[in-house]
Amino acid sequence: MTLTGVYVPLITPFDATGAADFAALEALANETLAAGASGLVALGTTAEPTSLNAAEQRGVVDVIARACRERSAHLLVGASTVEAVNVLCCRPGVTAALSVVPPFLRPGEAGVVAHFAALATVSPVPLVVYHVPYRTGQNLSADAIRRLADLDGVVGIKYAVGGIDTATLELLADLPAEFAVLGGDDAFISPLLALGAHGGVLASAHVATARFVELVDAWRGGTAARARTLGHHLAAISSAMFAEPNPTVIKAVLHAQGRIPTAAVRLPLLAAGPDAAESALQQVDTQGHAIVGARR
């Protein structure tokens, strides 16, 4: 199994009382899957999982799992510890756990590989490594990622290094077999796909979902001219969506579109400022019209 396409790490909507709104979450799940997403991520960073209590976390996974099951879509669940992955044994239908490289400790490449070897041994589902060095403090070379790919039970990587660096070029020039590279920096997804990535875990794909799906299909199908055009427009949307801490702007846009009841986030996040929200809405509108116009 090689994961391909667009995976949307869903937000957790909150209602006017501050409670998790599972009906709004279910609607978002079905909308993004209907627009062509290959799968969804539950309890990713975009979902504000550390601000959710245990019952809310279970509810989030229940809702998203049901939507994926009904549409035969892949389901990834954020789970980075032995305790968290063990919970997934009771959840049929989970495709993989999305497991972050151990943050803050900076254990070195050998420590990272040993960590994932141990986690894969006990996990009831395959693992997708989440590599985001500007959050974890731990860089990984292309060689270290290939060692991770060689581990039984590790099937891919969410690759979010903040750009296209030498390790990126080395990795994508010689991809491990049956190992998925999914871009995790939304603004850089187009060049990453051009270099051979299999898809992306893209928070920006809450909006313009079908266009992100088209972008992946265009690069993987060899339609470079269309892919470049889409990539430029979608990068502008993504940059606006990440102008303030994720998922604050995304929530502001979804609320303005009438798709979630409030734009509320939980501490330590603060709601997006009005200027950032308005700018993102303008980009969604402007770039959406430009994409349609470019097709004609």
Side-chain angles (χ1 to χ4, degrees), residues 154-195:
V154 175
V155 297
I157 187 168
K158 179 183 176 183
Y159 193 80
V161 301
I164 306 295
D165 60 9
T166 301
T168 306
L169 299 175
E170 292 177 355
L171 174 66
L172 293 173
D174 184 20
L175 276 169
E178 298 182 5
F179 181 76
V181 175
L182 302 173
D185 287 308
D186 297 23
F188 295 103
I189 188 59
S190 188
L192 204 64
L193 291 164
L195 290 168

Side-chain angles (χ1 to χ4, degrees), residues 66-286:
R66 181 168 60 249
C68 288
R69 183 170 60 250
E70 290 173 352
R71 294 180 177 271
S72 300
H74 291 302
L75 170 62
L76 277 59
V77 178
S80 300
T81 65
V82 170
E83 294 78 12
V85 296
N86 279 340
V87 171
L88 301 180
C89 69
C90 302
R91 287 194 171 276
V94 175
T95 306
L98 181 62
S99 304
V100 72
V101 169
F104 190 76
L105 293 174
R106 301 177 66 185
E109 291 185 341
V112 171
V113 174
H115 166 78
F116 280 104
L119 192 62
T121 299
V122 299
S123 177
V125 298
L127 304 180
V128 173
V129 175
Y130 183 8
H131 178 38
V132 55
Y134 50 86
R135 291 182 184 268
T136 65
Q138 177 64 63
N139 289 311
L140 294 176
S141 65
D143 178 67
I145 294 171
R146 291 194 181 96
R147 280 183 277 153
L148 288 169
D150 285 339
L151 296 174
D152 290 338
V154 175
V155 297
I157 187 168
K158 179 183 176 183
Y159 193 80
V161 301
I164 306 295
D165 60 9
T166 301
T168 306
L169 299 175
E170 292 177 355
L171 174 66
L172 293 173
D174 184 20
L175 276 169
E178 298 182 5
F179 181 76
V181 175
L182 302 173
D185 287 308
D186 297 23
F188 295 103
I189 188 59
S190 188
L192 204 64
L193 291 164
L195 290 168
H198 298 86
V201 179
L202 306 170
S204 301
H206 279 83
V207 300
T209 311
R211 300 307 183 191
F212 281 99
V213 172
E214 185 183 355
L215 174 69
V216 174
D217 291 345
W219 276 123
R220 293 186 62 77
T223 315
R226 178 60 179 167
R228 280 194 293 270
T229 299
L230 281 166
H232 290 312
H233 293 303
L234 292 174
I237 291 175
S238 294
S239 295
M241 290 291 185
F242 283 84
E244 294 190 12
N246 185 48
T248 62
V249 180
I250 291 172
K251 282 192 161 184
V253 169
L254 293 174
H255 176 54
Q257 293 176 332
R259 297 173 64 194
I260 58 176
T262 74
V265 292
R266 289 180 178 172
L267 291 172
L269 295 173
L270 298 175
D275 290 345
E278 181 59 30
S279 176
L281 282 165
Q282 289 177 355
Q283 286 292 345
V284 170
D285 183 59
T286 300

